Amino acid sequence: MSAKSRMLLTVLINFSLVVILAGSLYFIEGEWQHQREREAKDEVKQLYFSKMENYLKEVTAFISFISVGYTNDCPRSFVLQMRKELFNIPGAIEFGVIQKEDDHGVVVCNSWGENERVLVRKPSPHDGFLMTGPHTINSLEMPIFVIKKTIESFEYNILIKKSSVDDFLNNSLDVVMSLNNKQQGSTYRDSNVVDNLSYVVPLSNSAKRYNLYFIPTTLLLFLVCFFLVTPTLVRAIEKRFLRWKIRGHVYYNEYQPIIDTNDQSLFSIEVFLRSNDGVNVKDSIDKIKSLDLCIEYTLFQVKLIKSSFSKEFISNNSFQVNISCLHLESEFFVKNMLTLSDDICSSLILEVTENENLMIQKTVIKTHMERLKQKGYRFAIDDFGIEYSSLSYISEFDFDIVKTDKIFINETDKNIAILKSIITLTNELGIACIAEGIETEKDCQKITQLGISLHQGWFHSRPMKAEDIIAYY
């Protein structure tokens, strides 16, 4: 993936995150605020419900008191006592006792003290306490509610100012009283005291209100995503894209022969990464390393070797495949390499670049190298001599081949002295030595005279495709 594509992908991910975060937080914040408002309204509703229910308990207690105290007559002492009790109930203005007679009712006792029998509607039987209204009585010139209780042929009731009942509810638009469910709205609760009475929530067209807390929250979350989530997503997408390129054969192998100048025979073949997409090889290698796909690509290279050459060609030649210390630390890599057939195992030379991590993880690496060598693999150390700890690598690890870096081809007294010491060391240890960077006939003659017969470089051959290396062989 190019730098431009990576930048566009980052912008797209960041833009998507902003939209998703802003939308999600806007919705969550709205729901959260709506929940808070609903809870606050519920508290208000409960407050007024409790106040009204306590008030109705006082009223119904008074009615029960009348029903117990009434003895089929209405002495003045009883009326005075009832007036005194009535005075203690806010908004209560009158009480009355109605007796059923034939098909009508008669007021037989009342708080206004008149003994005249007034004909009214016939009492109807019911359970508990009922509330009716609001009624308008001309003599009172005000709307009232009537709460009543019927026992046998007597009805005991009390008249209450509607305004006094409204006082319990007029500070809240969220709850109103409903008789016979005639009030529009959703039922909040039924009365625990009086039948035929419910508290309802009126229909409301009020719009939702949003605060702007979600804006700074969105920005904060976006910054977190920008520095933590986005890089991870971009890396994951790049990794998937690069893995697709590997499996899609966008990358391929080229092969460079390593010549034994003693008889001009083919000593081994080094395997190189190449790309069909025009991306610089070094950039491709750096990208594969940065995305931790080195092991997958190495396994892909080995697969290409198996598919590009016959078993006979593989058995008769050696292939040098570049790996790093990370390969040798990986149990996954070792297990996959051990599953290969014996002919490919004995033909592969795993070429390790000098790296300080070889010493850091030397116990694990030495164990893995031993397992692979038992299967037939050989090991070479690349760019030998340019690291300060080269000799310790030779001492600690069982390498079969060393490759001198091409910087030693430059003809200086110091370089010649270093090459001579490497040659002496490898001869003493019985390790093969390959000289890299043989570009001219002069380089070839000079290195041969120093005692290194295994050469690699453009003087002998450039890297080539599989069919060309077969023809070269």
Side-chain angles (χ1 to χ4, degrees), residues 267 380 399-403 426-427 429-434 452 454:
F267 174 77
F399 286 106
D400 304 283
I401 302 168
V402 298
K403 294 181 69 175
T426 56
N427 287 338
L429 296 176
I431 298 175
C433 180
I434 299 173
I452 303 177
L454 302 178

Side-chain angles (χ1 to χ4, degrees), residues 420-461:
K420 285 181 178 179
S421 66
I422 292 175
I423 294 167
T424 301
L425 174 66
T426 56
N427 287 338
E428 286 288 335
L429 296 176
I431 298 175
C433 180
I434 299 173
E436 288 188 292
I438 309 300
E439 309 295 340
T440 65
E441 184 176 358
K442 182 180 177 181
D443 293 338
C444 179
Q445 293 174 352
K446 177 181 62 179
I447 295 301
T448 302
Q449 290 172 0
L450 287 173
I452 303 177
S453 61
L454 302 178
H455 295 184
Q456 179 180 0
W458 285 9
F459 173 71
H460 296 285
S461 175

